[in-house]
Amino acid sequence: MTPNIKITEFMVLNENVISDERGVYSSWIEITNLEDEPVNIGGFYISDLKEDPLRYKIPVDFPNLTTIPPKQTTILWADATSDIGPLHLSFKLSPSGENVILRSKDKKTVLDTIEYDKQVSNISYGRMHTSEKWAFFADPTPGKPNLTKGYTESKQAQNALFYNNNKSFMLGVIASIIGLTVIIIILLHSIRCRKNAEVALHNKNEELGTYNEELIATNEELTAIEEELRHQFDELEKNRISLQLANRKLFDIIEFLPDATFVIDEKNKVFAWNRAIEEMTGISKEKIVGKGDYLYAVPFYGEPKPMLVDLIKADDKEIERYYNNIERKGNTLFGEAYVPSFFQGKSAFLWMAASIFYDDYGSNVGAIQSIRDITERKETEEQLRRLSLYDTLTGLYNRTYFEQEMKRLEDGRHAPVGIIVCDVDGLKLVNDTLGHDSGDMLLKVAADTIKSCFRESDVVARIGGDEFAALLPCSDSQVVENAANRIRAAIKGYNAEDQSFGLNLSVGLSVSSDAEVNMSELFKDADNAMYREKLHHGQSSRQAVVQTLMKALEARDFITEGHTDRLEELVVSLALSLGLAESRMSDLQLLAQFHDIGKVGIPDHILFKPSPLTDKEYAVMQRHSEIGHRIAQSAPDLAPIADWILKHHEFWDGSGYPLGLKGEDIPLECRILGIADAYDAMTSKRPYRKALSHDRAIAELKKCAGKQFDPRLVNVFVNVQNKCSG
């Protein structure tokens, strides 16, 4: 809590400084405690300047001063000495008219202030025992001074200046009286002249008074202006600091923006270049800040040229020379650009946004541009666009695009219009036997073959699983027929050169020359024509596919070279011994030749594995009988043995596959083939073992009789083979 303390006297009067008995000039301060409690003033500050409030500190440990009793007064004698007066401090108060200020210990709070020209004049002076000299000190109660040791009496001083002793004082008085007498005589002599001068002087004084009042008013005006200017300066300083903080925050925000960002000033010179743009361009801010002349475009385009930030006020036609997808939102301009040779030589699609900075007066003070690499987004958009228009497997247009083009061609401006529809024969058989990878390869071959037969202006599309179609605008019947013939010739040429797939297509076409074309009807006509052709050579197409599969099996099954020939001899010898009819003999020979045709659908890594198969691999291998069954059903020549191909791995005891048949339920031809196939396999050399001898193979057959093989047929086969070997 701030104490209630008052300064009551300051002993300087009318610019005269009172001197003590030694002639040393001194000043006095009286401090009164107005509180009801003692106040400790040690450490308080006294100064004579507002701008320097901490000039003189009252020591905490000063004798008789640390504490002022309630409602009592303490006198401070401001002097450089310490042997005279009631209390001495080491400070001099200026006689030039500054205020005397007393401040609290917090160095800020002003307790009291005495202005120079408002001091009281109550001063006491005293005389020492051993001297006629007088000294002056503060008298809080006029006539009752606080006498200091060595002073015997005191008198109250008025508005007068006393010298060092009485003698000097009296001589001065006598001299003054004589001088005054002479002056009075002279004055009386010239009083008349001086009256006129006094009148003139009075008038002059009044004029000067008027001027003085004007000067005072002007001074007050200047003082007010000074205060206002000081206030404005303080406000400007606050605004400057606030602006610095705002700029710092702005720079920090720009620096950590995720998008590559740079800022230019009103002279188009870079003054901000954030981390993201450093990483994007490989150019550090130290190398680019302060640069102009479009040099900030060099990292993007390889040469100085206007960036989006330079074109905000340009018209859209000018902007479109450099950027795509232009859009304006208020003062912000958006655009996209493709950069063919970007940082580290890569190309990129860039999204950009630019805005102008305006001050409070609407003047342009700079601009900002943000840049984002949208290459991945563009690539994704392109992929989605292709997915919406193109078939992912063949690269041809898809059905959606094909139907859009059909609607477009209905306006009659492109008449005559032709449609060709193609269907891949035997695709399901290839998928079922060789797998969908092979089926996909067949579709790609068909797509490439068909595409090569059309013009750039024609629309070729895959419109279904095994269906293709082409739109031929501005094409008469002859042009469309020629295109269909080119397709047939290309298929024939492919099959002559490449035997990996048997490519067969059914082709149908239709042409309309009407002004208004009904494309749906036109497509239906072409589709019906295609199906008529498909029915016409359906069986021959499937047969061609089967022959192709057989060639593929021969090319792959190199470990069974000569196997089918030996197997035919073995089954024929056993069939003759059983007395089978000649017709059954021919089918049995066909079975010996084609029983493993389903192996074309078994992966090579399983079919040619030198070591024993795992359970999972063996399950895949077992599928070859089912695959072979489907192939045989598709070929008229093999249809009679399709059921035997399915069952040729069934065992006598029912442990075979795929149906688990047993005993007589297994067709006789399958039981004959099983014994002959096992004997030939054991007596033939394989990569993982040597061929077994005849005797050992016979022993194995007898061992498995009744389990894997028909025991009656095993005995017949053994007798036949023993006769042949003997």
Side-chain angles (χ1 to χ4, degrees), residues 26-39:
S26 301
S27 300
W28 291 264
I29 299 175
E30 177 182 276
I31 302 178
T32 301
N33 176 13
L34 302 178
E35 300 282 354
D36 293 328
E37 300 291 336
V39 174

Side-chain angles (χ1 to χ4, degrees), residues 346-584:
K346 65 179 182 179
S347 60
F349 287 95
L350 301 178
W351 170 91
M352 303 179 184
S355 298
I356 296 179
F357 292 144
Y358 294 99
D359 61 15
D360 293 339
Y361 303 101
S363 300
N364 179 2
V365 294
I368 184 172
Q369 177 167 330
S370 293
I371 304 167
R372 186 182 303 164
D373 188 342
I374 58 170
T375 304
E376 290 186 8
R377 192 194 80 188
K378 283 291 187 180
E379 291 174 349
T380 301
E381 290 175 353
E382 177 61 21
Q383 290 175 358
L384 293 174
R385 189 188 70 83
R386 288 193 62 82
L387 287 174
S388 67
L389 300 178
Y390 293 89
D391 175 55
T392 56
L393 177 64
T394 63
L396 300 179
Y397 290 115
N398 59 18
R399 188 179 189 92
T400 300
Y401 183 80
F402 184 80
E403 290 176 348
Q404 291 175 357
E405 287 297 295
M406 285 179 61
K407 291 181 180 179
R408 186 178 66 85
L409 295 177
E410 284 186 338
D411 60 6
R413 291 182 300 171
H414 305 279
V417 177
I419 295 181
I420 296 178
V421 179
C422 304
D423 186 89
V424 179
D425 298 330
L427 177 64
K428 185 177 185 304
L429 180 59
V430 173
N431 284 333
D432 292 343
T433 56
L434 300 181
H436 285 277
D437 288 343
S438 297
D440 290 346
M441 185 63 68
L442 181 61
L443 286 172
K444 290 178 182 178
V445 170
D448 292 341
T449 303
I450 295 171
K451 177 68 175 176
S452 66
C453 300
F454 290 93
R455 305 165 298 184
E456 288 293 329
S457 59
D458 300 331
V459 177
V460 182
R462 181 188 176 197
I463 59 173
D466 56 0
E467 277 191 292
F468 298 86
L471 294 172
L472 293 83
C474 304
S475 302
D476 57 20
S477 299
Q478 188 61 50
V479 172
V480 178
E481 186 66 40
N482 290 342
N485 290 334
R486 287 195 298 272
I487 294 174
R488 297 184 181 100
I491 295 170
K492 185 176 181 180
Y494 171 80
N495 289 330
E497 295 178 1
D498 194 329
Q499 299 297 321
S500 58
F501 293 105
L503 179 59
N504 294 278
L505 295 179
S506 297
V507 181
L509 60 89
S510 181
V511 180
S512 175
S513 57
D514 297 338
E516 293 185 1
V517 183
N518 188 327
M519 295 301 295
S520 296
E521 291 296 326
L522 192 66
F523 177 82
K524 188 181 295 184
D525 292 343
D527 196 48
N528 290 335
M530 181 272 294
Y531 273 107
R532 288 194 297 271
E533 181 170 303
K534 194 176 189 69
L535 291 173
H536 178 69
H537 55 66
Q539 293 296 336
S540 61
S541 296
R542 287 194 294 272
Q543 184 69 22
V545 173
V546 172
Q547 291 300 325
T548 301
L549 294 176
M550 283 303 302
K551 291 179 181 179
L553 178 62
E554 290 175 4
R556 295 175 70 203
D557 201 9
F558 62 86
I559 64 171
T560 58
E561 184 177 357
H563 170 63
T564 55
D565 294 336
R566 294 192 302 272
L567 195 57
E568 281 188 51
E569 293 178 3
L570 291 173
V571 298
V572 167
S573 62
L574 181 55
L576 289 173
S577 299
L578 294 173
L580 294 182
E582 187 68 27
S583 60
R584 296 184 68 181

Side-chain angles (χ1 to χ4, degrees), residues 543-720:
Q543 184 69 22
V545 173
V546 172
Q547 291 300 325
T548 301
L549 294 176
M550 283 303 302
K551 291 179 181 179
L553 178 62
E554 290 175 4
R556 295 175 70 203
D557 201 9
F558 62 86
I559 64 171
T560 58
E561 184 177 357
H563 170 63
T564 55
D565 294 336
R566 294 192 302 272
L567 195 57
E568 281 188 51
E569 293 178 3
L570 291 173
V571 298
V572 167
S573 62
L574 181 55
L576 289 173
S577 299
L578 294 173
L580 294 182
E582 187 68 27
S583 60
R584 296 184 68 181
M585 197 83 68
S586 299
D587 289 341
L588 189 58
Q589 286 178 303
L590 198 61
L591 176 64
Q593 184 179 1
F594 290 100
H595 69 284
D596 275 339
I597 191 173
K599 286 185 177 180
V600 296
I602 304 303
D604 288 349
H605 72 278
I606 295 177
L607 188 63
F608 300 139
K609 186 177 180 180
S611 58
L613 300 178
T614 64
D615 291 343
K616 187 176 181 180
E617 291 170 338
Y618 186 64
V620 175
M621 178 65 82
Q622 289 178 338
R623 290 184 57 246
H624 81 275
S625 59
E626 299 174 50
I627 296 172
H629 177 251
R630 287 195 294 270
I631 295 173
Q633 285 181 320
S634 301
D637 293 342
L638 299 181
I641 64 171
D643 187 58
W644 299 347
I645 292 175
L646 176 65
K647 300 173 181 177
H648 78 278
H649 275 289
E650 301 288 354
F651 290 171
W652 182 259
D653 62 358
S655 62
Y657 62 87
L659 303 177
L661 302 178
K662 61 187 297 186
E664 298 291 340
D665 291 336
I666 303 171
L668 176 61
E669 288 81 1
C670 295
R671 284 179 275 155
I672 292 172
L673 179 69
I675 295 171
D677 192 23
Y679 177 80
D680 184 71
M682 288 187 287
T683 57
S684 300
K685 182 180 178 181
R686 296 296 169 93
Y688 51 88
R689 64 165 174 79
K690 295 180 180 180
L692 300 181
S693 64
H694 166 75
D695 293 338
R696 188 172 177 183
I698 293 298
E700 284 294 323
L701 290 176
K702 290 180 178 180
K703 181 180 176 180
C704 294
K707 297 178 182 178
Q708 182 175 349
F709 308 118
D710 182 343
R712 183 178 69 86
L713 295 182
V714 170
N715 290 331
V716 175
F717 182 81
V718 170
N719 292 331
V720 172

Side-chain angles (χ1 to χ4, degrees), residues 5-8 30 100-103 109-114:
I5 296 176
K6 183 168 183 61
I7 306 174
T8 58
E30 177 182 276
V100 177
I101 303 170
L102 177 64
R103 293 181 183 266
T109 304
V110 176
L111 300 176
D112 199 9
T113 303
I114 298 178

